[in-house]
């Protein structure tokens, strides 16, 4: 018999959260989407609003929440540097107070709880690629610290609730993910480059474009997140989820120009402070413990994302 679970998704109106809500509703679950719409939007979940097993709650996770649920996916937190640096104190509060509130809810309801952690916990890494055993190289007082240290503290809280209260926890360290429903003005590199290309504007490379990232398509990531939640209780993480294919930011720009067929020029702007020089996930744990690996490679994923942004530009 199919078991209909009551599932809470915080940050459910954002980029990843909206895909996750759609996936879970599609699986027949009862989904409560909680969001304060700081970076997320109702447009991302318009198709879900009329569904009887989907419920939208406007709420800020830095305040307590009382609902009865079986599982919690905690995704609430701005993820783009321009957004998380806009109000850095609120960013730390969202990660830390948000984690405390959601962990308290999980404890009261005996729910299993997933945390969307990040590759940023590795900072500007001195070990490459990054395995989960690496403790990272993070500036505690820089402009990215509100996000990096907030997420690191959230991981600490998850593992203390696990040790102290036997909570069932699932911590994923998510690496750069892209796809439809990213906000066009989100400021992250994939959305920036595609929007610039589609509008025929210059493509802004920060630094000399030699820094690297490894880009995961959203459908692969959602499969990984749900696979982690459904794994045995002995699998707590932290587990890296991302695509290990690594590219320089310049290569990404050139690929976007090729695929959009635009005539944009590359322009160089200063590299933001503490911008990591390289990033690539070691995903052997996800492969071994979850049987998970990404399947969609950059060109295919970019084509789907370009099609989404083209439809926005055409509106
Ligand atoms: P996003 O900005 O699109 O989504 C975040 C959502 O959280 C938004 O809908 C926003 O309105 C909501 N939110 C923010 N503060 C809140 C608060 N105090 N209360 C309630 N809702 C709040 O970003 P995303 O890319 O979908 O990221 C989702 C999660 O995944 C974040 O926790 C992020 O740190 C993590 N993550 C994402 C990536 C990535 O590449 N997309 C990589 C690593 C980690
Ligand atoms: N970047 C860039 N041009 C842009 C936006 C970002 O060159 O218009 C660079 C940025 O400096 C970083 C990389 O692309 O080196 C990824 O940036 P993003 O903000 O997407 O994510 P993060 O730095 O958190 O990985």
């Amino acid at each position: 018999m199919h078991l209909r679970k009551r599932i809470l998704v915080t940050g459910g109106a954002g980029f990843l959260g909206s895909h996750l809500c759609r996936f879970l509703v599609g699986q027949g679950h009862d989904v409560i989407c909680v969001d304060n719409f700081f970076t997320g939007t109702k447009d991302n979940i318009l198709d879900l609003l009329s569904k009887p097993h989907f419920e939208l709650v406007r709420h800020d996770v830095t305040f307590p929440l009382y609902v009865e649920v079986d599982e919690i996916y905690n995704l609430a937190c701005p993820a783009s540097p321009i957004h998380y640096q806009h109000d850095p104190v609120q960013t730390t509060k969202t990660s830390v107070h948000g984690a405390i509130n959601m962990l308290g809810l999980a404890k009261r309801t005996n729910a299993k709880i997933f945390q969307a952690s990040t590759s940023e916990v590795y900072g500007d890494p001195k070990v490459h690629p990054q395995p989960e055993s690496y403790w990272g190289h993070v500036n505690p007082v820089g402009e990215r610290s509100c996000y990096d240290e907030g997420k690191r503290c959230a991981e600490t809280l998850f593992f203390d609730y696990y040790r102290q209260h036997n909570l069932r926890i699932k911590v994923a360290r998510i690496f750069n993910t892209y796809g439809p429903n990213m906000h066009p003005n989100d400021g992250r590199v994939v959305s920036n480059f595609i929007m610039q290309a589609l509008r025929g504007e210059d493509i802004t490379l920060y630094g000399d474009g030699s820094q690297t990232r490894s880009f995961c398509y959203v459908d692969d990531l959602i499969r990984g997140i749900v696979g982690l939640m459904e794994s045995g209780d002995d699998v707590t993480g932290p587990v890296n989820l991302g695509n290990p294919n690594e590219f320089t930011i310049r290569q990404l720009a050139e690929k976007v120009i090729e695929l959009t067929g635009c005539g944009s020029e590359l322009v160089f702007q200063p590299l933001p402070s503490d911008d990591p020089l390289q990033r690539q996930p070691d995903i052997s744990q996800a492969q071994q413990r979850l049987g998970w690996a990404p399947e969609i490679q950059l060109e295919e994923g970019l084509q789907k994302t370009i099609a989404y942004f083209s439809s926005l530009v055409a509106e």
Side-chain angles (χ1 to χ4, degrees), residues 23-42:
F23 183 90
L24 295 171
V25 168
Q27 297 234 303
H29 298 300
D30 232 345
V31 174
I32 304 173
C33 165
V34 161
D35 209 293
N36 70 348
F37 302 116
F38 175 53
T39 52
T41 146
K42 278 187 193 165

Side-chain angles (χ1 to χ4, degrees), residues 8-301:
L8 170 64
V9 179
T10 75
F15 162 48
L16 295 181
S18 62
H19 284 272
L20 180 61
C21 287
R22 192 165 296 108
F23 183 90
L24 295 171
V25 168
Q27 297 234 303
H29 298 300
D30 232 345
V31 174
I32 304 173
C33 165
V34 161
D35 209 293
N36 70 348
F37 302 116
F38 175 53
T39 52
T41 146
K42 278 187 193 165
D43 291 335
N44 283 339
I45 44 168
L46 267 190
D47 57 313
L48 297 175
L49 290 175
S50 59
K51 298 205 185 277
H53 291 289
F54 179 79
E55 202 175 332
L56 175 62
V57 180
R58 183 188 293 257
H59 175 80
D60 182 327
V61 295
T62 62
F63 297 96
L65 177 69
Y66 295 89
V67 288
E68 305 307 313
V69 285
D70 303 305
E71 290 180 354
I72 302 168
Y73 287 88
N74 188 34
L75 275 67
C77 186
S80 157
I82 54 165
H83 289 137
Y84 68 64
Q85 288 168 17
H86 171 74
D87 185 348
V89 173
Q90 174 66 11
T91 299
T92 303
K93 279 189 191 170
T94 294
S95 276
V96 178
H97 293 189
I100 290 170
N101 288 328
M102 290 309 115
L103 285 161
L105 176 63
K107 185 174 161 226
R108 184 180 62 78
T109 56
N110 194 27
K112 210 186 320 184
I113 181 165
F114 167 93
Q115 167 68 359
S117 191
T118 167
S119 52
E120 291 284 328
V121 302
Y122 301 122
D124 190 8
K126 300 297 168 213
V127 172
H128 193 74
Q130 294 80 56
E132 292 85 349
S133 54
Y134 179 48
W135 289 355
H137 179 237
V138 177
N139 176 358
V141 294
E143 286 171 7
R144 294 175 87 103
S145 311
C146 58
Y147 184 74
D148 300 10
E149 297 290 16
K151 289 285 188 179
R152 285 169 68 97
C153 185
E155 285 200 10
T156 307
L157 285 161
F158 268 69
F159 279 86
D160 282 335
Y161 267 79
Y162 168 68
R163 283 183 288 256
Q164 204 174 327
H165 300 297
N166 292 317
L167 226 64
R168 291 172 297 158
I169 62 159
K170 305 282 179 185
V171 177
R173 291 181 178 157
I174 301 169
F175 284 63
N176 297 67
T177 302
Y178 68 99
N181 287 14
M182 287 186 98
H183 197 282
N185 301 326
D186 178 276
R188 280 180 280 188
V189 68
V190 174
S191 44
N192 265 13
F193 286 2
I194 295 177
M195 288 307 291
Q196 288 164 344
L198 293 175
R199 290 175 176 147
E201 296 165 1
D202 291 339
I203 294 203
T204 51
L205 287 178
Y206 301 161
D208 61 6
S210 65
Q211 70 273 34
T212 69
R213 293 293 187 273
S214 309
F215 298 100
C216 185
Y217 188 66
V218 61
D219 292 358
D220 279 334
L221 187 86
I222 298 300
R223 223 173 12 87
I225 289 179
V226 175
L228 175 58
M229 184 63 117
E230 289 175 355
S231 62
D233 288 350
D234 57 321
V235 185
T236 57
V239 59
N240 290 337
L241 293 178
N243 189 323
N245 277 347
E246 184 180 358
F247 297 87
T248 67
I249 295 305
R250 189 184 180 119
Q251 283 174 320
L252 175 74
E254 285 162 354
K255 196 44 120 186
V256 168
I257 291 176
E258 178 197 322
L259 295 178
T260 53
C262 75
S264 296
E265 303 280 335
L266 302 183
V267 296
F268 295 88
Q269 294 186 357
L271 191 67
S273 66
D274 295 332
D275 198 292
L277 291 179
Q278 54 180 1
R279 184 180 288 158
Q280 187 201 126
D282 175 336
I283 59 161
S284 34
Q285 282 222 33
Q287 284 171 314
Q288 285 158 21
R289 305 216 64 184
L290 310 176
W292 177 86
E295 290 166 359
I296 298 169
Q297 298 309 339
L298 188 65
E299 184 154 331
E300 184 187 351

